[in-house]
Amino acid sequence: MELRQLRYLAAIADHGNLGRAAKALYVSQPALSYALKRLEAELGVRLFDRTPAGVEPTAAGTEVIAAAAEALAAADRVRAAADRHRHGGVLRVGFEASGAGELTTRARAEFARRRPGVRVVPKRFDWGGEAAALRDGAVDAAFVWLPADLAGCESALVHTEPRVVGLPVGHRLAGRAAVDVVETNGEPLMWTDKAPREWVDWWAVNPRPDGSEPRWGPKNDNVEEMLEQVAEGAAVCFAPASMAAYYARPDLVWVPLADAEPLRVALAWRPGNPLAEDFAAVVRSLV
């Protein structure tokens, strides 16, 4: 069994379709199908059932895929450990969307100035993905939007910022200096099923101050999809204030949410990683 086979397996599970997985892996679909058949023959179990829409994991496949994800994460940690000692080291820093605002870029720049022999690699993730990447070893440190599961990690609160509502130009609330959360109750709200439910509810302010539930709108997998749908008038979105600068668009308006709890951003890092601990010290010096 090779790591390449496990990466193929993970891609098929992620995409649920051999064609899309093959495209993401830059291999031909027949080659990927053959590789899957060989792996199934090697393991002696069927991993996927074929459906009209693509493939679905079997009971055995579900368990094997989970174990493969653990093996791939372990392999990534092995590579990261080696990278830290090659050419002075590598520090992988995770974030999502606008991260911790300007602090994200300032911290990377200051760390690079203090440790010129270390290559700082920024890695962007979609909703809530930076915390999972940190736990899985895909990054060494991350600016994490709370709430998040940071079990097994060191962390420090390093940034807060108010929240805003994103609206299409011409929306009835677009000209306001600020709005209360309940004033958006009738508006479909963008959300995602890719992040933990606690994270989704916090961003949606669910329940609302009046006890009601948001009117759920279209789902999205990343910030670009979210903003496209808001600009089209399909829904509104809640976001940190820094999004107004980082994702400024002529077809969007950002209005402060007067009564929403501000976003809290933690820097989290894997214990026992000297470079990550040094980066944490740099971030704290800038806060």
Side-chain angles (χ1 to χ4, degrees):
M1 189 186 307
E2 301 175 357
L3 284 176
R4 174 181 56 83
Q5 293 174 295
L6 300 186
R7 295 194 189 282
Y8 285 1
L9 179 63
I12 295 169
D14 285 343
H15 292 277
N17 180 282
L18 285 172
R20 290 194 294 268
K23 185 176 181 180
L25 292 165
Y26 298 99
V27 300
S28 69
Q29 183 172 337
L32 183 60
S33 180
Y34 177 70
L36 175 59
K37 289 178 180 177
R38 287 194 61 184
L39 181 60
E40 289 178 324
E42 181 178 346
L43 296 177
V45 293
R46 177 178 288 276
L47 300 176
F48 293 95
D49 287 327
R50 278 62 174 176
T51 71
V55 294
E56 292 183 357
T58 62
T62 298
E63 190 170 347
V64 170
I65 290 164
E70 294 176 3
L72 290 170
D76 287 342
R77 288 194 292 272
V78 170
R79 183 178 296 278
D83 285 344
R84 286 196 292 272
H85 295 275
R86 187 192 307 121
H87 307 305
V90 173
L91 178 72
R92 303 162 302 163
V93 179
F95 65 99
E96 68 172 284
S98 54
E102 292 183 358
L103 177 63
T104 312
T105 304
R106 288 173 53 220
R108 291 200 303 262
E110 178 61 16
F111 181 81
R113 186 187 70 79
R114 297 188 191 185
R115 299 290 300 272
V118 178
R119 184 164 64 94
V120 181
V121 180
K123 289 184 172 290
R124 195 200 121 185
F125 296 92
D126 294 323
W127 307 131
E130 74 281 16
L134 182 64
R135 293 194 306 272
D136 292 342
V139 293
D140 307 301
F143 290 97
V144 179
W145 285 4
L146 301 177
D149 177 10
L150 296 176
C153 301
E154 301 288 339
S155 65
L157 183 66
V158 297
H159 179 71
T160 62
E161 63 179 273
R163 282 192 278 175
V164 295
V165 56
L167 307 164
V169 169
H171 190 276
R172 62 182 179 86
L173 299 174
R176 297 278 296 278
V179 300
D180 293 331
V181 171
V182 294
E183 293 183 88
T184 70
N185 279 5
E187 303 290 339
L189 182 71
M190 295 296 307
W191 69 290
T192 180
D193 57 7
K194 302 299 183 182
R197 188 67 204 197
E198 179 188 11
W199 188 95
V200 172
D201 283 338
W202 186 86
W203 274 104
V205 192
N206 183 31
R208 296 290 169 81
D210 61 357
S212 64
E213 181 174 320
R215 178 185 169 193
W216 300 106
K219 291 189 289 186
N220 70 98
D221 291 342
N222 53 62
V223 64
E224 289 80 10
E225 289 181 5
M226 179 182 77
L227 298 184
E228 279 297 318
Q229 295 190 74
V230 171
E232 291 171 2
V236 303
C237 68
F238 291 170
S242 57
M243 291 268 286
Y246 281 69
Y247 293 92
R249 295 174 48 141
D251 49 5
L252 290 178
V253 175
W254 300 96
V255 179
L257 284 168
D259 57 345
E261 180 185 358
L263 168 65
R264 297 174 302 133
V265 182
L267 177 73
W269 63 96
R270 298 179 63 82
N273 183 328
L275 291 181
E277 290 168 355
D278 288 351
F279 183 72
V282 168
V283 173
R284 285 192 291 249
S285 75
L286 297 175
V287 174

